[in-house]
Amino acid sequence: MRRREPERRRRRERGRPRLPLRRSLLGRLLIVSVLVASCAVAATAWLAVQTTSGAIRQEQGQDLSSDAKIYNTLLGYAATHPRWEDVEDTARELARTSQRRIVLTTEDRRPLFDSAGASSVAPLPAQASAVVDPLSVDTVLVPDAMTAGSDRIDPRAVGPFLLPANERTELRGITEKQVACLNSVGVAADVVDGPSGRPRIEFVRGDTDRDLEFKCVAQNSGATLTEKKALDELNALADACLKRQGHKGATLNLDLSWDRGYGQITAAGKQPAAKQSAEKYPSEKYPAEKYPTEKKAAAAVERGDDRAIASCVGSARREQLTDHVAAPALLFIDGTGAVSVPGFDLSPANTARIVGVTALVLALTVGVSVIAGARLVRPLHALTGAAQRMRDGLDSAPVPVGPDNEIGRLAAAFNDMAVHRARLEEQRKVMVSDVAHELRTPLSNIRGWLEAAQDGLADPDPAFVSSLLEEAVQLQHIIDDLQDLGAADVGALRLHPEPVYAEELLGQVAAAYQGPAETAGVTLTVATPQPGPPGPTLYADPVRLRQAVSNLVSNAVRHTPSGGRVTLRSYRTGPGHGDAVALEVSDTGAGIPADDIPHVFDRFWRAEKSRNRSTGGSGLGLAIVLKLAEAQGGTVSVVSTEGKGSVFTLRLPAAPAEAPADATAAEAAAGPDGPDPINMTL
């Protein structure tokens, strides 16, 4: 029969349907791992793309800034030098600092300079990076602020307007006096040299007092001889251009504005801010109220003249500066020697590489998840099988306990639970056997006497009825005790705690057991306290407390031989036991062996293993005492010496100092068992 049991167990386990993968722990772990891996791959790819794009943009911005610096430096050289012969030092320094290859050629691609050296055979690109021409500035590489205006001439190209040293010194002296005057009146200003060497005043703050400024700058230095000569030459070139186009000539000022009789116009075709007026045209020649059409026509003609003058002034400047600036040159800027720009070309090969790496990461994730998940769920499967065997009432071997982790601790807790369950099952079986035995004895006696009376072997006299009543009472006591234990186990004991005088309660119990103690030849006493204030008061249910003390006294009287003594006393415990009252029942009986003391409060336990009724009792009295004490927040303990006697101590919480004991409740607890003597010897 035993050989077939494992086979039946295996069949039952095979017959149970397995969980679908999507609902199992392994499936969920696998799904979570794949999702995490997918998110990680996507996040890594996004971060790589963003980082790479940012690096590319940053590198491109750095390259553009470097290109603009190279172009602007070479443009300044061309604006201040008539030829490119001496550009080698400047260009070589630019190539060194930028780590770029710089090549300058003429417009027909004859080499002027190559930072890679004459031995370089690297071909030049088909299109130049820029054209270095100070008379036609590339506004993409140089901001608009660096140009002179709409004519796109580099402001550093001054040509014949370049002042000699003596004129610079003279003009600087005048300008410094003006700046000193401004500083003396609280206007912050400084002297700045222009491209031609003419000093000018630069105000540190934008908001200045116009009156103070006019006072200090009233004496304006006029054009020097060099500037007059260059200006006359420029004026002649511009007039010649205007005459060829059929326009009148214009008188140019030093700032390249021109006079037309009603104000100054700059080379860009606008009036200076200081010369603008609401009446732009002479009202005496064309009054608006009389000649509105003529005035509009004149204004249109004059605007056309201004555009023609601006165009001719620009052409004249280029013609005048041609011999003073370098010829246009082609600039080639190559990345040779520079740090390569990080990038990633998403070609089919690179796309396949990304897909392959992603698939590899996911495959590794799935593989690792399967291995880890299998190891994770293996002990869970063992726990599930053990729990199912336990449910079927089969003996379950201990589950293997793995490492000290959550599952290992779960397995250890399951094994402890299985051991505890087995112990409880064994106790249940023993208890059922004990209950059956305890009930069998009185029932057997009652049945025997009744069968004897039925057969005519016993007369139903008073002694017969008394014997049957004694057995019925014993049976009722056992049933009541079992009922109390059952109620205590499920927490269904009904308690009505109130303040109780400990001495009064002990006296009531002693009075109730006066008769049984005298019959057994035992002296039952209540220790009399010293004269003084009333004894301790405890907080408990008086009925249940009397039941517990009665069980202790009844047990002590039964186990104390004739001539012995049972003593009851009460006292307040020391600080080590908290605010509590102790009720002590001591006897001079046979005592309890040391090995049996841990079991005295177990159900149906008796030191007398023969199970006879020489000492009476069902083995439930002390178990009930323990449950009643615990239900009221107390404890019970025993100290016993074999051959000398035992001391049972019941400790319960003390009543609050301000709550007096209810004497009527204590009297009600006494019941009909007898009087209420206090501190009496029986």
Side-chain angles (χ1 to χ4, degrees), residues 342-356:
F344 193 76
D345 181 18
L346 291 180
S347 60
N350 286 331
T351 303
R353 189 182 309 168
I354 293 177
V355 173

Side-chain angles (χ1 to χ4, degrees), residues 318 400 441 627:
R318 293 186 183 88
T441 301
K627 288 296 182 180

Side-chain angles (χ1 to χ4, degrees), residues 41-51:
V41 170
T44 303
W46 178 84
L47 183 60
V49 169
Q50 294 297 320
T51 304

Side-chain angles (χ1 to χ4, degrees), residues 72-130:
N72 188 44
T73 303
L74 295 176
L75 187 67
Y77 181 90
T80 55
H81 294 77
R83 289 175 296 277
W84 292 101
E85 280 80 358
D86 299 327
V87 76
E88 181 177 351
D89 294 339
T90 302
R92 194 173 300 282
E93 179 64 20
L94 289 173
R96 185 187 65 81
T97 55
S98 64
Q99 298 184 358
R100 312 289 290 278
R101 180 190 177 191
I102 299 176
V103 179
L104 278 173
T105 68
T106 61
E107 291 184 306
D108 55 358
R109 295 199 171 224
R110 287 188 294 105
L112 295 175
F113 170 79
D114 189 349
S115 61
S119 59
S120 176
V121 294
L124 295 176
Q127 185 177 359
S129 302

Side-chain angles (χ1 to χ4, degrees), residues 314-367:
S315 301
R317 291 190 64 202
R318 293 186 183 88
E319 184 178 355
Q320 184 184 34
L321 294 173
T322 300
D323 295 335
H324 298 275
V325 299
L330 301 181
L331 173 62
F332 297 89
I333 303 176
D334 195 5
T336 303
V339 179
S340 61
V341 177
F344 193 76
D345 181 18
L346 291 180
S347 60
N350 286 331
T351 303
R353 189 182 309 168
I354 293 177
V355 173
V357 171
T358 303
L360 178 61
V361 171
L362 291 178
L364 290 176
T365 302
V366 171

Side-chain angles (χ1 to χ4, degrees), residues 60-83:
Q60 287 176 344
Q62 293 175 354
D63 289 347
L64 184 61
S65 176
S66 176
D67 292 350
K69 180 180 178 181
I70 294 171
Y71 173 79
N72 188 44
T73 303
L74 295 176
L75 187 67
Y77 181 90
T80 55
H81 294 77
R83 289 175 296 277

Side-chain angles (χ1 to χ4, degrees), residues 526-545:
V526 178
T528 304
Q530 296 295 330
T537 303
L538 50 85
Y539 193 71
D541 186 325
V543 177
R544 293 297 184 181
L545 180 60

